[in-house]
Amino acid sequence: MEERPVEQCPFCKADLIGEKIPYSLLEHYSPPYFFRLKIGIYDRELDRITHWQCPFCKGTWERN
């Protein structure tokens, strides 16, 4: 069985890993097969995600 990854908000320590992705949707995702709850903040000029945001506390941190 696949081990559940660990990812926490650096501010409120909330768990940012959601439920396991259903088998019927796996073709649209890459491993590990769990929903991510963090929000990507996209910069159009750089054409990439530059920051992440916690959906619980709204804290924002730079993407590594």
Side-chain angles (χ1 to χ4, degrees):
M1 180 160 195
E2 191 174 359
E3 187 174 321
R4 187 177 185 276
V6 175
E7 190 171 349
Q8 293 180 323
C9 170
F11 301 103
C12 70
K13 306 298 183 208
D15 185 7
L16 296 176
I17 303 296
E19 299 294 317
K20 192 166 178 124
I21 296 171
Y23 183 77
S24 62
L25 298 176
L26 285 184
E27 67 184 88
H28 303 288
Y29 293 89
S30 58
Y33 300 113
F34 291 87
F35 286 111
R36 301 281 197 225
L37 300 179
K38 64 187 176 184
I39 300 165
I41 299 174
Y42 184 79
D43 184 315
R44 283 184 173 210
E45 284 186 23
L46 297 175
D47 191 26
R48 69 183 186 101
I49 292 173
T50 58
H51 291 76
W52 297 113
Q53 183 177 38
C54 175
F56 304 106
C57 73
K58 307 300 184 216
T60 304
W61 62 96
E62 285 191 43
R63 177 180 172 211
N64 295 350

